[in-house]
Amino acid sequence: MRVAVIGGTEFIGRRVVERLTERGDEVLVIHRGHTEPADLPPCAHLHVDRRDFASVADQVRAFAPDAVVDSYALSRADVDAVLPHLPDVHLVLLSSVDVYRVWELLLADDDTPTPLPLDETAPLRTGRYPYRGRGAGLDDYDKLDVEPAYLARGGTVLRLGMVYGPHDQQRREEPVLRRVRAGRTRIPVGSAGTLLTRLHVDDAAGGVLAALDRPAAARGEVFNLGESVTYSMRSWLKLVLAAAGHEAELVRVPDDLVPADLGLTRNLAQHVLYTSGRAETLLDWRPADPLASIAASVRWHLDHPPADASTDFTEDEQALDGGAAPAVAHRR
């Protein structure tokens, strides 16, 4: 196939490009040129800011793609800048499970009963711009502004869970691994009982390939992609520690003492647990064993520690000194 990938040099888009080229597809990576990984497989590159996509539309059409993968449409402005200029081919959009109502309830600390697991018919958020005002630079982010336009063009929408793995800019394992590197043997956590469905980046890329290979089943459809097994936060922390070959006690502390970077271990109002049965049935997509995926991801991140990793454990010391829950309370 000939596939144009918008984004494609960082994390999920990068792995999509790698998987496509590995199997012999011809790829055009369309990106700003800010990131040029030395180890990205050989393929054509087209540099343009997304806002100026119209200026390269003729070059994209000249590539004559069979499909276009948009890995980085975050807002309505992102859609308006690109979608009108894409050729009439199979479109695949990377979206997020944060479009569901349960995510809105989670952010609002609202424990309204929610049927689980979520499938693609689950209620969507009633509010918009979930991260506006949270200081993440995502004030205009909302996949609910992105999905409808792609679906109207017959595109495929892939709603991804909490993606982790090599080159993850959010470094999901870092709250544990920075303590591993420092040799910490006691880690303060909350109840850590929340269930959050995750997805390894290789499985995310595999979902894109599955959608591209089955256009008849995928066009105009929405699919959740997540691992087949979901671990509680406590179990996930233990799996990360085991993969790192490090022994540490997870010490239960009150929620108000949990360090900020371990905030997901607090008693959260909602689980985000969803099913990918539709993708498995219609796209013949299968995620890998999460135990192997977690171990591989941890090894990569141990080998590639962040240059700005925090070595400040003041919050840990305060939590461990100021209110570890008594053993009896923990057993309850």
Side-chain angles (χ1 to χ4, degrees):
M1 297 180 68
R2 297 168 66 85
V3 183
V5 179
I6 302 173
T9 62
E10 295 183 283
F11 198 30
I12 305 172
R14 173 187 178 127
R15 189 61 185 132
V16 170
V17 170
E18 291 171 345
R19 289 287 300 275
L20 288 169
T21 56
E22 284 169 5
R23 71 178 197 174
D25 292 326
E26 188 172 350
V27 179
L28 171 65
V29 183
I30 306 168
H31 62 109
R32 294 173 298 174
H34 294 179
T35 306
E36 296 279 6
D39 56 349
L40 195 70
C43 55
H45 288 242
L46 184 58
H47 293 165
V48 67
D49 188 287
R50 190 178 185 105
R51 293 169 296 183
D52 301 320
F53 192 89
S55 66
V56 299
D58 289 343
Q59 296 177 65
V60 175
R61 293 191 183 93
F63 176 69
D66 299 299
V68 176
V69 177
D70 193 340
S71 71
Y72 207 68
L74 306 182
S75 67
R76 182 68 206 188
D78 288 346
V79 175
D80 293 340
V82 169
L83 190 59
H85 309 290
L86 294 181
D88 188 18
V89 297
H90 187 193
L91 307 177
V92 177
L93 171 73
L94 298 189
S95 187
S96 169
V97 295
D98 69 11
V99 298
Y100 291 118
R101 169 71 170 154
V102 69
W103 196 263
E104 185 173 41
L105 296 174
L106 176 70
L107 294 178
D109 197 28
D110 185 333
D111 62 359
T112 298
T114 303
L116 298 173
L118 306 171
D119 63 17
E120 291 82 358
T121 66
L124 302 178
R125 280 188 280 104
T126 57
R128 306 306 287 270
Y129 313 110
Y131 309 115
R132 179 166 286 180
R134 294 177 179 266
L138 296 172
D139 283 357
D140 295 326
Y141 167 93
D142 199 326
K143 290 291 187 177
L144 288 177
D145 284 345
V146 177
E147 291 186 358
Y150 274 81
L151 290 170
R153 284 277 302 266
T156 301
V157 171
L158 302 179
R159 291 176 179 162
L160 311 181
M162 187 177 289
V163 185
Y164 68 99
H167 304 288
D168 173 19
Q169 302 100 317
Q170 296 189 60
R171 295 183 173 271
R172 309 283 187 183
E173 300 95 334
E174 180 61 14
V176 181
L177 297 185
R178 78 180 188 94
R179 291 170 169 87
V180 168
R181 291 192 297 269
R184 305 286 295 185
T185 58
R186 303 180 76 223
I187 301 176
V189 298
S191 58
T194 304
L195 300 172
L196 299 172
T197 301
R198 293 177 169 79
L199 179 68
H200 189 271
V201 65
D202 201 49
D203 291 326
V208 172
L209 269 61
L212 292 174
D213 290 346
R214 294 164 182 80
R219 286 181 185 271
E221 301 292 341
V222 176
F223 299 94
N224 292 338
L225 297 184
E227 290 179 332
S228 56
V229 175
T230 298
Y231 293 96
S232 70
M233 282 301 305
R234 176 172 289 273
S235 294
W236 180 78
L237 293 172
K238 289 183 175 181
L239 290 172
V240 172
L241 287 168
H246 184 76
E247 293 187 8
E249 178 187 3
L250 301 178
V251 181
R252 174 76 178 272
V253 302
D255 275 1
D256 60 352
L257 294 177
V258 172
D261 64 342
L262 290 167
L264 286 178
T265 72
R266 296 179 179 126
N267 184 27
L268 303 183
Q270 297 285 341
H271 299 293
V272 183
L273 181 69
Y274 62 94
T275 175
S276 306
R278 196 162 188 268
E280 294 180 12
T281 300
L282 298 181
L283 303 181
D284 196 28
W285 172 82
R286 298 289 186 278
D289 175 4
L291 291 178
S293 297
I294 292 170
S297 179
V298 168
R299 287 194 298 271
W300 188 91
H301 284 287
L302 283 174
D303 291 340
H304 302 83
D308 59 349
S310 173
T311 57
D312 182 356
F313 298 102
T314 302
E315 287 185 302
D316 284 36
E317 296 299 337
Q318 290 174 342
L320 294 169
D321 291 342
V328 172
H330 178 62
R331 283 198 296 270
R332 290 199 200 101

